[in-house]
Amino acid sequence: MKRNKLLGFLSLVAAVGAWFAYRFRRALFARRLGLPPVQNEVHVHRNLRVPVGKELTLATDHYEPQGAGSFPTILIRTPYGRRLVPAFYAQRFAERGYHVVVQDVRGRFDSDGQFAPFLDEAADGQATVSWLRQQPWYNGVLGLWGQSYLGYVQWALAVAEPDGVTSLFPSIASSRGPLTATDDALPLDLALRWMVLLEALDHAPGGRGRLNPLLAFSRMTARGQDRVLRPAYDHLPLEECDELLLGEEVEYFRRRFEVQLPPAYEESNLSNRLDRVSSPVHLLGGWYDFMLHDLLADYDTLRCAGRCPYLTIGPWQHTDNSVARNGLREGLDWFAATLKGQEDRLRAAPVRLHVMGADEWRNYECWPPPATDRSWYLQSQGALGPRPSSASAPDQYSYDPANPTPAVGGALFYSGAGPVDNRELEARPDVLTYTGPLLDESLDVVGPVRAVLYVRSSLAHTDFFARLCDVTPDGRSLNICDGLYRVRPGRGARQPDGSLRIEVDMWATAYRFRPGHAVRLQLSSGAHPRFARNLGAGEPPGRATKMRVAEQTIYHDEVHPSVLVLPVSG
């Protein structure tokens, strides 16, 4: 009897200790993440089944806030497992007065069916909304939250059923489907890394498959992942890379190389239908995120449709943990304003940008903010100046796709992304640099950056890659933003002497060049494997195997005034 009482007492002590530990963890998370205080206990209903048609169900968890009254709902749909990262953020939202529904998309983890990236998200999102409407706790107020693919599914649902969505918060995401290539070139590293990552997660504990050597891929360092992917980076033809890495054909990967896509794949690009979305939207991006270009295009589309989207861009790359943390903080304010009517939580300025170099946040009414274009003309001996040279011999280099110019830092899909020292890259013979004088005062560049180049190539099919860099007093060359232009017959403005005038969209930035620093334009013909190398023979990209060396010429004189154009603020 005494022993039973002692065990009962110890069990009570353990339970009380666990309760206090749980409360302490919640308070600690709130302080560290800068969140409002916890308002509700949360009960989790796991592995609910949402019907899709007559045969399929989608595995779903419901985080239910415990308290009186009616609460809005936040929907998070993911291909990466609802028990992983989404569970943490779902708990944080639910503690602050939201029903949170987290769901494995079709064919992933515990959900039925076959995963076809991007193709089923609209229909499955609509089925989920239909299920929500049948729940006694659902009050019809629905917010969508999540990043990357979780952001795309928000667009898919909002475009398909705009009246069913109250508010959206897509982070580091795009409304475009997977088969459209930014800058007209296949993002090879992204395509391969994402394909293998999905397979690795499928074979991880809690996934759908059996264990295999891919298990550890998602936990590897960037260098470790590169070792797995490197044979595919160098393999030709590209359409065989799926078999090389996974031992089987992957349909959505192969579809990337088709000239004429099936209608379902064409329809997965939602960018021309965003005018159907009238709900308030808050876009969150990163200056070194590979989806930044398309995210800003989505912003522009909404603005042209008469909407007033909110926009936040920080100094982040795609896998930066700061994206999710800031997305949670901003999301709580956004949903408090748009789902609960707490308009005092909505910041006054719709656009908030982090200005790198100055390390400060600035508020604006719209993107791009007011700026004055400042021209930096390419000159002889690798200089940049305020006006074209009267007589300046062109610069030349050879680009060999068998030894492609590598991608170094920038908008990559791993921890090697972001600003890095480019000096080793710039020492290659297939890279040119043009550097301005040391600055006497700060130069704030905020907005889209572009380079207008007069070029000639020995090949009809080739690429030109332009990158803006900051040269620091100690000699480092730090990449800021960049872009690639793919030359093919009929593209570019042919000049009387046979050269081409091309305009390279170098994406956008918000960056302060400090006094004593210098502006640099870096030019080359590739950034492999961020962009699949241009082999130069004009063969279909998926089946291409022939490689030809391109002899490249960059002109910079009064007749060919090649120029870097920077939007200068202030």
Side-chain angles (χ1 to χ4, degrees):
M1 181 65 71
K2 290 182 178 180
R3 184 173 182 272
N4 290 339
K5 287 183 177 181
L6 178 61
L7 290 176
F9 175 74
L10 292 176
S11 297
L12 177 61
V13 170
V16 171
W19 184 82
F20 275 108
Y22 168 68
R23 301 278 294 191
F24 175 76
R25 285 199 306 272
R26 292 198 311 178
L28 182 62
F29 289 147
R31 285 199 302 271
R32 286 189 173 180
L33 296 175
L35 307 180
V38 172
Q39 300 168 352
N40 302 91
E41 300 293 332
V42 178
H43 180 70
V44 184
H45 306 271
R46 298 197 183 278
N47 205 31
L48 305 174
R49 309 303 299 186
V50 172
V52 178
K54 296 181 179 180
E55 299 181 354
L56 302 180
T57 62
L58 304 179
T60 304
D61 295 338
H62 172 210
Y63 292 75
E64 181 181 12
Q66 303 298 290
S70 176
F71 300 102
T73 299
I74 295 174
L75 175 61
I76 303 172
R77 305 187 62 247
T78 175
Y80 305 120
R82 68 192 192 282
R83 304 287 180 86
L84 300 175
V85 176
F88 176 85
Y89 294 101
Q91 183 76 25
R92 307 287 81 77
F93 279 117
E95 290 171 350
R96 288 154 183 86
Y98 298 91
H99 291 283
V100 184
V101 175
V102 184
Q103 184 179 85
D104 292 329
V105 301
R106 183 186 301 201
R108 298 297 296 165
F109 289 80
D110 296 326
S111 285
D112 299 333
Q114 181 70 33
F115 181 54
F118 301 85
L119 298 189
D120 300 309
E121 305 308 348
D124 291 355
Q126 287 180 295
T128 303
V129 171
S130 296
W131 175 82
L132 285 171
R133 288 171 176 154
Q134 300 171 23
Q135 308 309 307
W137 44 265
Y138 183 64
N139 67 2
V141 180
L142 179 63
L144 309 180
W145 186 87
Q147 61 190 62
S148 195
Y149 192 96
L150 286 69
Y152 174 87
V153 300
Q154 296 179 49
W155 287 122
L157 175 55
V159 167
E161 190 164 345
D163 293 338
V165 176
T166 311
S167 180
L168 297 82
F169 196 100
S171 301
I172 54 170
S174 163
S175 66
R176 300 175 70 185
L179 305 172
T180 50
T182 299
D183 290 337
D184 202 35
L186 174 70
L188 182 62
D189 173 72
L190 169 60
L192 296 180
R193 199 175 299 265
W194 192 65
M195 178 178 66
V196 177
L197 177 62
L198 287 176
E199 184 74 8
L201 290 173
D202 244 7
H203 292 81
R208 295 164 63 90
R210 59 185 176 81
L211 297 180
N212 74 6
L214 290 173
L215 171 64
F217 184 84
S218 62
R219 302 173 185 171
M220 288 180 180
T221 63
R223 187 169 297 178
Q225 289 186 0
D226 283 348
R227 283 195 294 269
V228 174
L229 297 174
R230 187 165 293 116
Y233 290 156
D234 299 333
H235 182 78
L236 295 173
L238 288 177
E239 65 180 7
E240 296 178 351
C241 288
D242 51 358
E243 285 191 275
L244 179 66
L245 290 169
L246 303 179
E248 60 184 4
E249 293 186 11
V250 177
E251 181 184 5
Y252 67 83
F253 177 77
R254 298 254 168 160
R255 293 288 189 184
R256 289 177 177 270
F257 302 105
E258 295 186 8
V259 175
Q260 184 63 46
L261 296 172
Y265 284 88
E266 292 282 5
E267 292 173 6
S268 69
N269 183 352
L270 307 171
S271 59
N272 61 351
R273 283 175 279 167
L274 297 190
D275 58 352
R276 299 190 61 191
V277 180
S278 57
S279 304
V281 179
H282 189 151
L283 301 166
L284 185 142
W287 292 124
Y288 290 99
D289 176 35
F290 58 78
M291 288 188 176
L292 174 67
H293 188 278
D294 295 339
L295 180 141
L296 291 175
D298 289 342
Y299 174 89
D300 186 59
T301 299
L302 292 170
R303 289 276 297 179
C304 290
R307 313 291 187 256
C308 185
Y310 272 54
L311 176 67
T312 302
I313 307 180
W316 311 309
Q317 45 99 352
H318 197 77
T319 58
D320 195 325
N321 289 331
S322 296
V323 173
R325 291 196 298 268
N326 282 272
L328 176 60
R329 287 195 294 266
E330 294 278 0
L332 283 167
D333 287 338
W334 179 249
F335 289 135
T338 58
L339 302 185
K340 294 183 176 181
Q342 300 173 11
E343 296 184 1
D344 60 313
R345 296 278 295 275
L346 195 64
R347 71 185 187 218
V351 175
R352 188 167 183 255
L353 309 176
H354 185 273
V355 181
M356 300 176 293
D359 193 24
E360 65 184 33
W361 288 92
R362 296 183 190 171
N363 296 323
Y364 300 95
E365 285 301 312
C366 64
W367 170 267
T372 301
D373 283 348
R374 180 168 173 181
S375 296
W376 297 73
Y377 289 92
L378 282 64
Q379 299 180 334
S380 60
Q381 298 181 334
L384 287 176
R387 58 187 60 85
S389 297
S390 57
S392 179
D395 294 313
Q396 297 176 322
Y397 64 93
S398 298
Y399 174 74
D400 184 357
N403 180 27
T405 315
V408 176
L412 296 168
F413 184 28
Y414 65 97
S415 58
V420 298
D421 189 349
N422 280 234
R423 281 181 292 186
E424 183 176 348
L425 173 66
E426 292 169 354
R428 288 177 58 105
D430 56 0
V431 178
L432 302 178
T433 60
Y434 299 86
T435 309
L438 297 183
L439 297 170
D440 295 326
E441 57 185 20
S442 294
L443 178 73
D444 288 358
V445 176
V446 183
V449 176
R450 58 194 173 96
V452 178
L453 304 176
Y454 290 81
V455 302
R456 187 189 298 270
S457 177
S458 62
L459 303 179
H461 296 267
T462 192
D463 292 344
F464 288 94
F465 179 75
R467 166 170 278 186
L468 175 65
C469 293
D470 176 9
V471 181
T472 65
D474 60 4
R476 291 174 297 149
S477 180
L478 304 177
N479 55 287
I480 300 169
C481 62
D482 47 48
L484 180 138
Y485 186 98
R486 177 145 289 188
V487 174
R488 58 178 179 269
R491 192 158 191 236
R494 184 69 62 181
Q495 303 299 295
D497 64 354
S499 63
L500 280 179
R501 181 187 183 276
I502 65 173
E503 185 167 320
V504 186
D505 179 352
M506 298 170 63
W507 295 25
T509 191
Y511 191 90
R512 168 172 290 178
F513 289 85
R514 292 182 174 276
H517 291 226
V519 174
R520 172 171 290 173
L521 175 66
Q522 180 193 116
L523 298 178
S524 64
S525 287
H528 183 75
R530 175 182 167 191
F531 301 107
R533 52 191 165 163
N534 194 326
L535 302 187
E539 296 179 297
R543 299 192 298 274
T545 56
K546 296 177 182 177
M547 290 188 280
R548 298 177 62 185
V549 175
E551 302 298 336
Q552 313 290 60
T553 301
I554 307 293
Y555 295 93
H556 39 77
D557 53 51
E558 288 184 331
V559 179
H560 310 90
S562 293
V563 61
L564 168 68
V565 182
L566 301 180
V568 177
S569 174

